[in-house]
Amino acid sequence: MKKFLMMAALSAGLMFSACAGNKGDNDNNAATEADGSKVLVAYYSATGTTAKAADEIAKATGGTLYEIEPEQKYSDADLDYENENSRSAVENKNPDMRPAIKTGLDVAPYETVYLGFPVWWDKAPLVVNTFLDSYDFSGKKIIVFATAHSSGLKPSFEALKATYPSLDLIEGKILNITSEDSFHEWVKGL
């Protein structure tokens, strides 16, 4: 009988700790900043540069990292800026295009969204517009950051602001080669 009671107590303890450990799952695993707001770091990265910046922001904020994935990935030929018939060049000439993306994100629990992308022809790639069109971002603060070889953020930020005037878009910065400490300093300064 003692052995049975000990096993029952052990089982009850394990069940209690398992239930307590899953508490965050009911909240969609949304990461919480020190001020209590939930943070999402959403990004599109064609070559991995923007992914690195997004990863550092997620570390600095404690945010949830989310990759904006096109249903049809961009190949090297698609990204050939010198070829006016490449996929990215054709999309650049047709700003109303919305390349399909893989969806399945619940943005409801997030209050702050860091939105990152590589700058293409002084604009965000249109997959970013598809992302913004796919979810309800009303009432959320969206901090825009980007990576670029020679462009600044302002033209692409202004284009997004013109396309989405009802969203609370905040101009961030270009984050090409930055140290981990500088990401933390930038995030704290916002």
Side-chain angles (χ1 to χ4, degrees), residues 24-94:
D25 292 347
N26 294 332
D27 201 18
N28 296 318
N29 292 324
T32 305
E33 268 193 310
D35 67 357
S37 64
K38 295 187 173 28
V39 176
L40 174 68
V41 181
Y43 70 94
Y44 167 68
S45 187
T47 62
T49 305
T50 308
K52 289 175 189 170
D55 186 54
E56 289 299 330
I57 293 171
K59 288 176 188 173
T61 61
T64 301
L65 199 56
Y66 177 79
E67 182 179 3
I68 300 167
E69 292 184 83
E71 280 189 2
Q72 179 185 353
K73 290 203 180 267
Y74 289 83
S75 68
D76 289 342
D78 292 334
L79 299 173
D80 183 356
Y81 301 112
E82 294 177 7
N83 178 355
E84 65 182 42
N85 295 315
S86 71
R87 180 176 164 201
S88 59
V90 169
E91 289 175 5
N92 179 56
K93 295 174 197 165
N94 299 290

Side-chain angles (χ1 to χ4, degrees), residues 134-147:
S134 298
Y135 301 101
D136 181 8
F137 290 101
S138 53
K140 299 178 187 316
K141 178 170 65 171
I142 303 171
I143 301 164
V144 178
F145 69 96
T147 56

Side-chain angles (χ1 to χ4, degrees), residues 119-172:
V119 176
W120 292 356
W121 290 280
D122 285 332
K123 298 179 210 151
L126 292 178
V127 294
V128 172
N129 294 64
T130 305
F131 175 73
L132 290 171
D133 290 345
S134 298
Y135 301 101
D136 181 8
F137 290 101
S138 53
K140 299 178 187 316
K141 178 170 65 171
I142 303 171
I143 301 164
V144 178
F145 69 96
T147 56
H149 289 293
S150 60
S151 302
L153 180 60
K154 193 153 216 61
S156 57
F157 175 78
E158 293 298 331
L160 284 175
K161 194 92 168 135
T163 305
Y164 301 98
S166 65
L167 294 182
D168 184 11
L169 294 168
I170 298 165
E171 186 175 354

